[in-house]
Amino acid sequence: MTLNDVWFVAIAVLWVGYFVLEGFDFGVGMLLPVLPADPTERRVMINTIGPVWDGNEVWLITAGGATFAAFPEWYASLFSGFYLPLLIILVALILRGVAFEYRAKRDSARWKAGWDRCIVAGSFAPALLWGVAFANIVRGVKLDADHEYVGTFWDLLNPYALLGGLVTLTMFVAHGAIFLSLKTTGEIRRRARSLALRTGVVAAALAVLFLGWTQFHGGTAVTAVLAVVAALAWLAALGAIARAREGWSFTLSAVAIGVAVTSLFAVLYPDVLPSTLDPANSLNVQNAASTPMTLGIMTWIAVFFLPLVLLYQSWTYWVFRRRIGVRDIPA
């Protein structure tokens, strides 16, 4: 295994962390209009992710930075070809972050309702478009001999990619509902469990169809095993939430999402961005990578800083591990 392979695996791990952690707070954001019965319960929902949502986004920043440094050709082709959807995601994340910060600046129901809509939209768009983007990466796009994307925006909205977007959307909603059932008390906990079970069944059906489609077009024995493990973990998560075992359910849903993302990277390897025009135009871990010296320096930096980041984020989750309910929200 070369450093090129090591950094492909490292980037895959970063995306797994991002989808597992940011996935549940996207889900919480999208559930704001449907789950709470009153403004106090809505505040409870926001407080469950308040201490962690911005830390979860660090995984995205790190994944983007690692891609830029380790595979600059991959980064350049992605950000030129996927410019519009990535811009929409960026604007949505900015709007969402501003909404979390500004929501409580005025004691006005209308003011808060407006920012709540921004949180919903800022959670919905990335949850859908990340699935569309990753499905296109796995499927391949129109790259010419210079590794330039020569397709259109509408080429990215193919049936396979749209199915991928629906999978991430529904899985994140269910993952968020499971997280809420783990972090809350009272009626909101009960409703979150019920909603997690219903949305989880829909997500399971879509995910099986998507992973089956992926396996049919480019899978191997390894990716087939990963897909089966992801499906079984998701079904076990739904069984656990049905029995009110929220801790096990959240752990299993995180495993299911993580293994599913891993299976996509396993299908992709050794390519990083296949070309549908000519396989010779595809970007892979060799022709898209930085120099060995750059990869070596990055490896030492990662060895030093990654444990610190993991320890800090783990400590944050430990500090804010307690369940909260309406009684914890001041009048």
Side-chain angles (χ1 to χ4, degrees):
M1 178 178 285
T2 66
L3 285 179
N4 304 50
D5 303 310
V6 169
W7 276 98
F8 179 85
V9 173
I11 289 169
V13 170
L14 291 171
W15 280 108
V16 166
Y18 177 68
F19 276 17
V20 168
L21 297 176
E22 189 85 304
F24 72 73
D25 65 48
F26 282 153
V28 172
M30 288 185 284
L31 289 173
L32 280 181
V34 296
L35 189 60
D38 54 48
T40 304
E41 288 191 348
R42 188 171 295 111
R43 183 63 199 179
V44 170
M45 290 177 61
I46 293 174
N47 281 11
T48 62
I49 60 173
V52 298
W53 69 267
D54 47 356
N56 293 342
E57 289 191 350
V58 171
W59 290 81
L60 172 62
I61 297 168
T62 309
T67 304
F68 172 76
F71 299 101
E73 285 278 352
W74 185 15
Y75 183 93
S77 296
L78 273 178
F79 275 77
S80 58
F82 292 44
Y83 181 82
L84 183 55
L86 290 177
L87 177 62
I88 294 172
I89 290 172
L90 179 60
V91 171
L93 292 177
I94 292 172
L95 188 66
R96 181 171 173 266
V98 171
F100 280 128
E101 299 297 334
Y102 274 72
R103 184 184 186 275
K105 297 301 182 183
R106 287 176 57 186
D107 188 16
S108 163
R110 183 176 180 182
W111 171 270
K112 292 179 180 179
W115 288 117
D116 286 345
R117 286 191 287 270
C118 293
I119 294 173
V120 175
S123 301
F124 176 87
L128 176 68
L129 292 178
W130 279 131
V132 172
F134 266 83
N136 276 297
I137 292 172
V138 173
R139 173 181 175 268
V141 294
K142 295 179 178 179
L143 290 182
D144 64 14
D146 295 322
H147 302 146
E148 296 284 345
Y149 178 68
V150 294
T152 67
F153 171 74
W154 303 109
D155 291 330
L156 301 177
L157 302 181
N158 55 80
Y160 177 75
L162 292 175
L163 177 60
L166 291 176
V167 169
T168 52
L169 182 72
T170 53
M171 290 191 80
F172 289 170
V173 168
H175 193 42
I178 293 171
F179 177 77
L180 285 171
S181 70
L182 175 65
K183 288 288 293 178
T184 58
T185 61
E187 277 299 302
I188 191 169
R189 176 187 177 190
R190 183 192 62 78
R191 291 197 301 272
R193 282 204 310 265
S194 176
L195 189 59
L197 193 58
R198 295 199 303 272
T199 56
V201 170
V202 176
L206 293 172
V208 167
L209 180 59
F210 178 74
L211 292 175
W213 193 343
T214 303
Q215 184 66 24
F216 179 76
H217 282 285
T220 64
V222 172
T223 59
V225 170
L226 291 173
V228 170
V229 170
L232 292 176
W234 190 257
L235 292 176
L238 297 184
I241 199 66
R243 299 190 303 275
R245 302 291 299 273
E246 292 100 340
W248 277 108
S249 182
F250 182 76
T251 300
L252 289 165
S253 67
V255 169
I257 293 172
V259 174
V261 176
T262 301
S263 73
L264 295 182
F265 276 93
V267 170
L268 187 60
Y269 182 83
D271 288 336
V272 294
L273 190 61
S275 172
T276 57
L277 298 179
D278 185 346
N281 299 342
S282 298
L283 288 168
N284 55 51
V285 295
Q286 298 301 325
N287 64 14
S290 291
T291 64
M293 178 179 290
T294 300
L295 296 177
I297 294 171
M298 289 175 59
T299 302
W300 282 111
I301 293 173
V303 167
F304 180 77
F305 283 104
L306 182 59
L308 297 179
V309 173
L310 292 176
L311 284 172
Y312 173 77
Q313 193 159 31
S314 299
W315 176 78
T316 302
Y317 276 92
W318 175 255
V319 169
F320 293 100
R321 66 190 181 279
R322 188 175 66 86
R323 291 179 183 269
I324 61 174
V326 294
R327 68 180 184 277
D328 300 300
I329 306 299

